[in-house]
Amino acid sequence: MTTRRKFIQGAAVAAPAALAAPAIAQGTITWRMQTYAGAALAEHVIDPAIEMFNKIAGDRMQIELFYADQLVPTGELFQALQRGTIDAVQSDDDSMASPTEVTVFGGYFPFGSRYSLDVPVLFNQYGLNEIWDEEYSAVGVKHISAGAWDPCHFATKDPIRSLEDLKGKRVFTFPTAGRFMSQFGVVPVNLPWEDIEVALQTGELDGIAWSGITEDYTVGWADVTNYFLTNNISGAWAGSFFANMERWNELPEDLQTLFRVCCDQSHYYRQWWYWGGEANLRVNGTKLELTTIPDEEWATVENAALEFWEEIAAESDVKRRVVDIFKQYNADMLKAGRPYRYT
């Protein structure tokens, strides 16, 4: 069995080796950045971007990257960023317990997207960037950019072939996804990321709804679960890069631009890595048996999501603005027809 101590030791060794940053010259700007991802996942979702930044910036600036929970627990990332304990963060709003009105939409907002490209379009063409900028600027944090990750599926020890099979299942998932799926009998469980594999082995967890199949294989969860449910709660995780506002404003404009470019490269990498990985592992993967809840039964969950949207929208004017954007976007995609949407 994987142990927490072995995991942390491995992550601690991997971080400096992976970055291999050049020697820090006197006067070099240095940042500390923490990601939501553990070492195995970070190899894809953040390491390449930070390695690129450090290589190009050279002795002008270097970013030291830390993995999930290495400096602070993921749920305290926002507070640490706001205080300046950490200079930059890669996470979704939901996981890092952001106090903003948009937090509920980070991570997996139930059925807010069908495909990964929906996320950057929502932010860059439908106005979410402006709302996120307003919300984070008001609390001393710079929202740099948002991008998509993988869809949200259940990976479980026992097969899920109906909604009835979900009842009583203890599942590691995101706060908003857990809040939504609890109406179908799912029991959300909150644990440190590095404890999940052991919790699945010991029976503390029955499954996870934290990722797609690519991450299940990449981080080892496919080794301790048996089934993968092809129905998803959302088509893409929405996550962002953030920086402490003072540290961001201190950077010269060209270094700000370089950081943005490297963030965009990270977003692009994830687009094809996840999109291709999800299909490849469904077809060629050997560790997880695929199961499906029939469309007519899963429609109950999709319809409940629309009610959930209205419940969220009633909580504040900002949340109403965001929900209205989601509604307009999905209506537009449905009118556009294939390949954007189809019934």
Side-chain angles (χ1 to χ4, degrees):
M1 288 171 49
T2 300
T3 66
R4 179 172 180 173
R5 175 173 294 180
K6 288 181 180 178
F7 181 95
I8 294 174
Q9 287 174 341
V13 170
L19 291 178
I24 304 297
Q26 186 174 3
T28 298
I29 300 169
T30 58
W31 272 17
R32 298 200 302 174
M33 180 178 188
Q34 184 168 311
T35 176
Y36 76 99
L41 182 59
E43 180 181 348
H44 294 280
V45 302
I46 186 62
D47 279 357
I50 300 306
E51 289 170 2
M52 178 185 297
F53 181 91
N54 287 341
K55 183 176 181 179
I56 297 172
D59 62 6
R60 292 190 63 202
M61 180 172 175
Q62 292 290 297
I63 297 175
E64 185 177 8
L65 181 63
F66 296 87
Y67 300 144
D69 305 311
Q70 281 192 325
L71 291 180
V72 299
T74 297
E76 297 176 13
L77 277 176
F78 177 85
Q79 295 177 7
L81 182 65
Q82 189 181 44
R83 291 193 305 265
T85 304
I86 299 173
D87 302 298
V89 161
Q90 180 199 42
S91 178
D92 67 281
D93 317 71
D94 208 15
S95 296
M96 72 176 190
S98 164
T100 66
E101 291 293 317
V102 298
T103 295
V104 70
F105 304 104
Y108 292 116
F109 186 58
F111 298 96
S113 62
R114 179 174 289 188
Y115 307 117
S116 57
L117 278 174
D118 291 339
V119 173
V121 174
L122 280 161
F123 274 86
N124 294 302
Q125 295 184 358
Y126 275 72
L128 292 191
N129 264 337
E130 289 74 15
I131 297 175
W132 260 246
D133 183 68
E134 292 170 9
E135 286 294 300
Y136 281 98
S137 294
V139 291
V141 167
K142 177 65 178 177
H143 177 258
I144 297 168
S145 67
W149 275 251
D150 49 340
C152 184
H153 294 260
F154 284 86
T156 54
K157 298 170 75 172
D158 297 323
I160 304 296
R161 296 190 174 95
S162 70
L163 293 181
E164 183 68 25
D165 292 336
L166 289 172
K167 292 182 178 179
K169 292 293 187 294
R170 295 159 297 178
V171 174
F172 172 65
T173 189
F174 291 82
T176 299
R179 172 181 169 183
F180 171 67
M181 289 304 297
S182 63
Q183 66 186 290
F184 299 101
V186 172
V187 180
V189 178
N190 184 27
L191 291 170
W193 190 92
E194 70 269 17
D195 290 347
I196 302 310
E197 186 171 347
V198 174
L200 286 164
Q201 290 171 313
T202 61
E204 186 177 356
L205 288 175
D206 299 306
I208 51 176
W210 201 85
S211 68
I213 198 169
T214 306
E215 287 192 19
D216 292 334
Y217 274 77
T218 301
V219 305
W221 293 337
D223 298 321
V224 290
T225 54
N226 302 311
Y227 299 91
F228 180 84
L229 182 65
T230 59
N231 312 77
N232 64 50
I233 299 171
S234 182
W237 187 73
S240 297
F241 290 93
F242 304 90
N244 175 275
M245 187 68 79
E246 290 184 11
R247 299 289 81 75
W248 178 257
N249 290 337
E250 290 171 356
L251 290 184
E253 184 177 356
D254 63 332
L255 288 179
Q256 290 182 349
T257 301
L258 175 60
F259 191 82
R260 289 184 182 277
V261 168
C262 292
C263 290
D264 286 343
Q265 175 62 26
S266 177
H267 295 321
Y268 172 68
Y269 182 108
R270 280 180 275 99
Q271 284 282 341
W272 60 259
W273 184 66
Y274 278 121
W275 185 257
E278 296 298 302
N280 176 58
L281 288 170
R282 285 191 184 200
V283 174
N284 300 309
T286 59
K287 297 180 179 180
L288 295 172
E289 180 180 337
L290 305 184
T291 64
T292 300
I293 296 175
D295 289 344
E296 59 272 18
E297 187 175 0
W298 190 249
T300 303
V301 184
E302 294 178 338
N303 292 333
L306 299 180
E307 298 178 10
F308 183 76
W309 287 15
E310 290 304 313
E311 176 186 330
I312 296 298
E315 295 176 354
S316 74
D317 290 340
V318 171
K319 291 177 180 177
R320 167 56 66 186
R321 288 170 61 195
V322 176
V323 168
D324 285 347
I325 287 174
F326 274 102
K327 291 170 66 177
Q328 183 63 58
Y329 176 76
N330 280 279
D332 288 350
M333 294 300 103
L334 190 60
K335 290 179 182 177
R338 296 175 186 269
Y340 299 95
R341 293 290 189 276
Y342 50 90
T343 56

